[in-house]
Amino acid sequence: MEANSGEGAPKRKPLPSALVSNLESVLAARRPAPAEEVSTAAASGEAEAPEAEASDAPPADGAPARPVVLLTCAGGIQSAGLAALVDALVAGGRCDVHVCAPDSDKPACGHSITVRETITATSVDFKGAKAFEISGTPVDSVSLALSGRLFPWSAPALVISGINMGPNCGYEMFHSSAIAAAREALVHGVPSIAISLNWKKDESKDSDFKDAAQACLPLINAALADIEKGNFVKGCLLNIGVPRSPSANKGFKLTKQSGYSPAQSWQAVSTNRPSSAVHFMGMHQSLGIQLAQLGKDASAAGAARRVSAQRKTVEVESVAASGKQEAREVVKKLFRAEFVKKQHEDLNEDIDLRAVENGFISVTPLNVHGQAEAEIGAPVSDWLSAVVAEEKEDPSAA
């Protein structure tokens, strides 16, 4: 006997005929089409395939996937060095290029990261590459890109930091944002290269970055080939120093980190503004970035004044033995640090700075702590010798 049977059971109301008809139509549309109809539609070209972006589309049958190379640059998303490197790699067609770099110049901030603040990532147009600018440091750029949150991958084949404006030789590596970005990749287990141009004020020009990129292509392509084979040197990053005239370089040279460090000079100043308005705005910042930086500086200055006023109030309220308020003077002085190039006494031809000054492209292996161990030097030397020999045999391979 059914639970709903009997005289007391409620009577079911029939569904409206129009609703029934709509439901039947929906269910019929969801049924899979017979195999014959599917093959007929495919043959006639009626079947539509979902659209996908070219860079994310899977390779054609039988075609190997190109390795992904992540680029960043301490000079910022609009730096000439980054643009030259992107153009060279895209034109070479050896890899898929992705970019994640700071939205402005971030020099000498070392391995600093952004905490307790939200980082903004904004897409940027780069011909042939997917690119984002972020409101963080170069290390933030690499860390975010490798997190899998920004790009559809979390482990590129290679990370390249550069091309930096100015050398990163000797103890400059401890301040260098460019080397720190490459070091961050190494910490994540990703092979990395840092490239810097020995830029000279009033002598070098933006086209030198293009020459530097072309000069480094043989080494980058060789690194990609060996990474794919699993033969690339492990446990170190390669710090590449390009001489002042890249197109007239004397070739690659394996070097050691020197003990060179520029002299830091502190100058007393009367204002907290940088000495040059051009430097204050930044050479390659957009108007929007300039205004945003001005707003940030104004907010910071206002906060500093409020804190200073509060501190003064607290200090003025101190009471002397006589019972009267005793004011204490608050002294504020302003200083600015400047780096002055000094003469280095090391005449060893195998150190990084000496090689770059002599016209060679220096290749210095570094581990996460700085100078690479002696056991890494031999594999890097063998690898670099093979790169040089291959370049001499087939110069067009670059």
Side-chain angles (χ1 to χ4, degrees):
M1 181 176 179
E2 296 182 10
N4 290 337
S5 62
E7 296 180 357
K11 295 182 179 180
R12 296 178 180 177
K13 296 181 180 180
L15 294 173
S17 58
L19 178 58
V20 172
S21 177
N22 289 340
L23 289 173
E24 290 177 346
S25 300
V26 171
L27 291 174
R30 290 184 177 181
R31 293 192 190 102
E36 294 181 359
E37 294 182 10
V38 173
S39 60
T40 303
S44 61
E46 294 177 358
E48 295 183 357
E51 295 183 358
E53 295 184 11
S55 59
D56 292 335
D61 293 341
R66 295 191 302 180
V68 171
V69 173
L70 172 67
L71 302 183
T72 191
C73 188
I77 194 71
Q78 297 188 38
S79 64
L82 178 60
L85 196 54
V86 171
D87 290 344
L89 292 177
V90 170
R94 178 69 177 78
C95 56
D96 287 333
V97 181
H98 291 68
V99 179
C100 185
D103 55 16
S104 60
D105 188 14
K106 294 290 191 298
C109 59
H111 211 104
S112 62
I113 59 175
T114 302
V115 294
R116 302 189 185 94
E117 290 184 18
T118 299
I119 287 181
T120 302
T122 307
S123 60
V124 178
D125 289 334
F126 254 107
K127 186 177 180 181
K130 276 196 166 185
F132 285 89
E133 63 177 19
I134 72 164
S135 58
T137 67
V139 171
D140 288 330
S141 301
V142 174
S143 178
L144 177 59
L146 298 182
S147 70
R149 300 287 186 177
L150 192 62
F151 297 111
W153 43 260
S154 59
L158 178 66
V159 172
I160 304 178
S161 174
I163 299 171
N164 188 67
M165 179 186 288
N168 281 308
C169 298
Y171 293 153
E172 289 177 314
M173 60 158 288
F174 294 109
H175 304 287
S176 170
S177 307
I179 293 181
R183 186 190 304 120
E184 180 69 11
L186 184 61
V187 169
H188 284 78
V190 180
S192 59
I193 296 173
I195 304 176
S196 302
L197 172 64
N198 191 21
W199 180 274
K200 297 296 181 183
K201 186 179 179 182
D202 300 328
E203 295 181 19
S204 300
K205 48 191 181 297
D206 284 353
S207 61
D208 291 335
F209 285 112
K210 296 181 179 180
D211 294 336
Q214 290 298 324
C216 291
L217 270 184
L219 187 143
I220 295 172
N221 290 335
L224 285 172
D226 285 344
I227 288 171
E228 291 178 309
K229 297 174 185 176
N231 297 332
F232 189 66
V233 290
K234 295 177 174 61
C236 70
L237 65 89
L238 299 182
N239 181 26
I240 311 301
V242 182
R244 187 185 316 177
S245 301
S247 58
N249 76 84
K250 298 178 181 178
F252 298 106
K253 185 172 186 177
L254 182 66
T255 54
K256 300 176 182 179
Q257 178 190 352
S258 64
Y260 170 78
S261 178
Q264 192 171 6
S265 174
W266 287 95
Q267 303 293 330
V269 295
S270 58
T271 175
N272 59 358
R273 287 186 177 183
S275 57
S276 169
V278 175
H279 174 72
F280 175 67
M281 287 302 192
M283 293 177 61
H284 305 291
Q285 293 182 357
S286 64
L287 178 60
I289 295 174
Q290 295 172 18
L291 294 176
Q293 186 63 44
L294 286 173
K296 186 183 292 185
D297 291 345
S299 299
R305 284 195 298 271
R306 290 192 295 273
V307 171
S308 178
Q310 292 170 359
R311 287 175 178 171
K312 287 181 180 179
T313 300
V314 172
E315 291 174 342
V316 168
E317 286 178 355
S318 62
V319 180
S322 61
K324 297 181 180 180
Q325 287 185 342
E326 184 181 68
R328 290 183 293 182
E329 183 182 6
V330 177
V331 178
K332 181 179 181 181
K333 297 182 179 182
L334 301 176
F335 298 91
R336 182 176 298 119
E338 296 179 356
F339 288 98
V340 181
K341 184 176 180 180
K342 64 180 182 180
Q343 243 4 74
H344 51 92
E345 300 177 355
D346 194 341
L347 301 179
N348 187 344
E349 298 295 329
D350 292 331
I351 62 173
D352 49 11
L353 184 62
R354 183 68 66 186
V356 170
E357 289 182 343
N358 289 340
F360 291 96
I361 298 177
S362 66
V363 180
T364 310
L366 301 173
N367 61 17
V368 293
H369 306 294
Q371 178 69 55
E373 292 88 351
E375 58 266 23
I376 295 181
V380 174
S381 177
D382 294 341
W383 178 80
L384 188 59
S385 297
V387 172
V388 173
E390 183 176 350
E391 185 186 9
K392 288 181 178 178
E393 290 177 4
D394 185 11
S396 63

